[in-house]
Amino acid sequence: MGNRAVRAGSLKLVADDNAPWELYDLSADRTELNDLMEKLPSDAGDLEKKYQAWAQRVGVENYRELRKKFRTKDE
């Protein structure tokens, strides 16, 4: 559905479809209430690079573009 996520250790980088990334430390915030993007920008950047490398390696495609491609006239 266009959502993205990557995790390394206790850090988890997540984003809803086309929304900005959010960073959480699951060891201290299991309910993902405290976004750490501003406090840990280098960690977020490292995780985003890992996500992008994985997405390219496995061929992740943009969800919105796929929907446009396969949308029928009845929708």
Side-chain angles (χ1 to χ4, degrees):
M1 304 300 271
N3 300 330
R4 303 164 284 160
V6 61
R7 184 172 171 186
S10 65
L11 293 178
K12 180 179 175 185
L13 189 68
V14 297
D16 289 333
D17 181 35
N18 287 335
W21 287 105
E22 299 172 2
L23 179 68
Y24 300 100
D25 179 354
L26 298 180
S27 67
D29 181 19
R30 293 184 60 179
T31 55
E32 300 178 15
L33 296 175
N34 301 301
D35 184 358
L36 300 173
M37 285 295 290
E38 291 184 16
K39 290 183 179 179
L40 302 172
S42 63
D43 291 320
D46 291 344
L47 284 171
E48 184 175 3
K49 286 178 188 174
K50 287 181 182 183
Y51 173 82
Q52 296 299 342
W54 170 82
Q56 184 173 1
R57 188 176 74 245
V58 301
V60 171
E61 296 186 44
N62 183 290
Y63 180 72
R64 287 182 181 215
E65 294 302 316
L66 285 174
R67 281 194 55 152
K68 289 178 193 174
K69 186 176 177 180
F70 294 105
R71 184 170 286 156
T72 63
K73 292 184 179 190
D74 328 6
E75 289 187 67

